[in-house]
Amino acid sequence: RMSRIGRSGFSSGSRTFAQLIFVMASIIVSSGIVAMAPLHRVSARLAGVSRRLASRRLPRCARAAASSSSSSSPWGASGKTLQVIDCHAGGEPARVVVGGLPSVPGRTMFDKRNHMLKQMDHYRKLLLLEPRGYPCQNANFVLPPVHPDAAFGYVIAEQNAVYPAMSGHNTICVATALLETGMVPMTEPITEFTLEAPAGLIGIRARCEGGKAVDVELKNTPSFCRPRDMGVRIDVPELGQVELDIAYG
């Protein structure tokens, strides 16, 4: 297994090798060889030993590199590539992944969201955490739709392993990326289509000019109220009792 680079700039394998050379040099000094032979001969002898040891290590490193590249671990050497578009909606950032993901199982988009949360969170970490990400970044994984009325589906991922069922600014970024890449055909001045979020179908109405999505409106999933959440009375300091209705959506 290939070692990682440490803070000092040497790998753990290199550090061990350097320690071995130091021990060999100590043995040579303690045995009096240095006193008997010129220093350049001792250096040449150590260089020859180091070359022989390095030649023995090469096959093992090659095997380690090969096993690392074929490993099922999401980290380390990899030849896979994600196609990602960085967007923002009013300054709120979002990375839209439009290609490179493996198939995500699930009968519904919410099932796919759950699978990514539990089994594929390394993709979120790769995009949102340093060195590629930063604390305000978000990710959106564009997937084939499940519902026949949707052009595409998408799973939203945010910091702290949060996978919301719906997000307004992330949806605007997804719609913009799909339109401006041609994945959804653009019709000027207005393009309308449907996306499938984990929460359900989201209607998109985009105003387009010169190949750009200038303005994006969305129609969210229906909100709802439960009877027991209507007419709730709470006591508010300095205001007294306040009556309110609680809605979801």
Side-chain angles (χ1 to χ4, degrees):
R1 186 170 180 267
M2 297 191 72
S3 55
R4 293 184 177 180
I5 301 299
R7 290 184 180 179
S8 64
F10 294 94
S11 68
S12 59
S14 300
R15 199 176 295 114
T16 303
F17 180 72
Q19 291 170 352
L20 175 62
I21 294 299
F22 178 78
V23 171
M24 291 174 61
S26 300
I27 293 172
I28 292 172
V29 171
S30 63
S31 62
I33 295 177
V34 171
M36 295 170 59
L39 184 60
H40 70 274
R41 290 187 182 178
V42 177
S43 299
R45 183 179 298 181
L46 288 175
V49 172
S50 66
R51 283 194 296 270
R52 287 195 296 273
L53 287 173
S55 65
R56 293 175 185 175
R57 285 173 53 84
L58 280 175
R60 290 186 305 187
C61 287
R63 287 195 299 270
S67 63
S68 176
S69 62
S70 61
S71 172
S72 60
S73 172
W75 305 108
S78 174
K80 295 183 178 180
T81 302
L82 295 176
Q83 287 81 49
V84 180
I85 302 170
D86 274 12
C87 305
H88 76 89
E92 288 283 346
R95 286 189 164 148
V96 182
V97 181
V98 296
L101 279 179
S103 177
V104 181
R107 293 188 306 107
T108 66
M109 202 56 60
F110 199 83
D111 289 343
K112 295 177 184 292
R113 173 257 183 203
N114 290 341
H115 180 83
M116 293 202 71
L117 169 64
K118 297 174 182 177
Q119 305 295 332
M120 299 173 67
D121 192 50
H122 50 275
Y123 285 103
R124 181 193 64 83
K125 293 178 179 178
L126 183 71
L127 295 168
L128 302 192
L129 303 185
E130 294 182 354
R132 298 172 185 87
Y134 55 94
C136 293
Q137 189 59 274
N138 304 270
N140 297 271
F141 303 99
V142 176
L143 304 174
V146 175
H147 197 284
D149 292 341
F152 287 95
Y154 61 109
V155 171
I156 308 162
E158 299 179 350
Q159 298 288 354
N160 300 317
V162 174
Y163 285 73
M166 173 54 189
S167 166
H169 102 269
N170 280 291
T171 300
I172 291 172
C173 288
V174 169
T176 300
L178 293 175
L179 284 167
E180 295 190 4
T181 58
M183 295 176 68
V184 170
M186 181 183 292
T187 301
E188 297 185 12
I190 300 296
T191 304
E192 294 183 344
F193 59 100
T194 302
L195 292 175
E196 186 176 9
L201 296 179
I202 309 296
I204 302 294
R205 187 178 190 274
R207 182 167 61 87
C208 305
E209 294 178 3
K212 298 290 185 180
V214 178
D215 184 82
V216 177
E217 299 177 5
L218 61 90
K219 183 178 180 181
N220 212 333
T221 54
S223 61
F224 62 93
C225 300
R226 298 183 302 185
R228 64 175 177 271
D229 295 324
M230 305 297 291
V232 177
R233 296 177 182 272
I234 60 173
D235 292 321
V236 179
E238 300 180 0
L239 293 179
Q241 195 173 74
V242 176
E243 182 176 317
L244 57 97
D245 301 332
I246 302 174
Y248 300 86

